[in-house]
Amino acid sequence: MIERAGAGPLRHLVVLRHAKSAWPEGVADHERPLAERGRRDAPAAGRALAEADLLPDLALCSTAVRARQTWELASAQWGTPPPVRLDPRLYAADASDLLAVVHTVPVEVDTLLLVGHNPGLEELVLDLAGDALDDALDEVRAKFPTSAIAVLAWRGTGWEALTSGTALLTDVVVARGKKTRGKKNRGKKKG
């Protein structure tokens, strides 16, 4: 359980995988933008975090276009977005690289949002979670799709104390926005 992390305030690491990206021909991976579905899902992720009262004190975001766009659309759902740090180390990072960045977070931050990519995010969640509520670990093991949110809770005096197996995976949500009816559907009867 989260007591293994030691004394200190209850902290939350919120992990958000970027929303669905497009694959335009001739565009480098780092520069790929969000697809139409991603532009719908990213705001839904922001609303889900607001509804769960998990707005971050700080966000760390990959410099990849799709991650930055996810952050911008998600945080636009909140009254006053927190500070964001765009960090090139989060792009194509594995779990240990991600954790090294998390360890640099100031002690004043109680809720941290990490916006990045798989497989590193999924590996990080599975590494940090010593336990989980319900079947949250099984959900992450099965799939951590685009726009997925994992919430890890732990106690510690500073972020450098967050280590393997010291957090409780409290929730996993996959945010999906609703499709708007397009011109093709106008006037058609549902059967």
Side-chain angles (χ1 to χ4, degrees):
M1 267 321 200
I2 58 178
E3 291 81 24
R4 285 185 263 166
L10 180 64
R11 298 178 185 274
H12 291 96
L13 174 59
V14 181
V15 176
L16 170 59
R17 183 175 175 201
H18 66 78
K20 183 74 173 172
S21 60
W23 293 85
E25 191 174 321
V27 174
D29 183 72
H30 188 272
E31 304 307 311
R32 289 191 297 117
L34 291 180
E36 182 180 332
R37 188 178 99 194
R39 290 190 301 273
R40 287 192 312 265
D41 293 348
R47 289 189 297 274
L49 291 174
E51 290 166 7
D53 197 24
L54 284 169
L55 298 184
D57 302 310
L58 174 67
L60 299 177
C61 182
S62 164
T63 55
V65 170
R66 59 194 179 274
R68 292 192 332 252
Q69 289 177 337
T70 299
W71 159 252
E72 290 162 4
L73 292 168
S75 65
Q77 305 304 304
W78 313 328
T80 304
V84 61
R85 290 186 190 162
L86 299 177
D87 194 319
R89 297 175 295 173
L90 301 179
Y91 176 69
D94 64 18
S96 63
D97 295 331
L98 292 169
L99 189 56
V101 174
V102 169
H103 283 166
T104 68
V105 171
V107 68
E108 301 81 29
V109 173
D110 290 327
T111 301
L112 174 67
L113 174 63
L114 189 61
V115 183
H117 313 269
N118 254 7
L121 291 181
E122 180 179 331
E123 293 166 356
L124 180 68
V125 170
L126 294 174
D127 178 59
L128 294 176
D131 205 351
L133 297 180
D134 302 320
D135 60 350
L137 271 173
D138 292 335
E139 287 182 51
V140 174
R141 283 184 192 115
K143 188 173 184 183
F144 196 66
T146 55
S147 299
I149 301 167
V151 180
L152 294 152
W154 65 285
R155 290 194 180 278
T157 55
W159 287 91
E160 70 281 349
L162 181 59
T163 59
S164 181
T166 59
L168 174 69
L169 181 59
T170 62
D171 204 2
V172 177
V173 174
V174 179
R176 294 290 185 237
K178 293 182 180 178
K179 271 188 179 180
T180 56
R181 293 184 89 188
K183 292 179 182 177
K184 293 179 184 177
N185 294 333
R186 288 188 188 156
K188 288 185 179 179
K189 292 184 180 181
K190 291 185 178 181

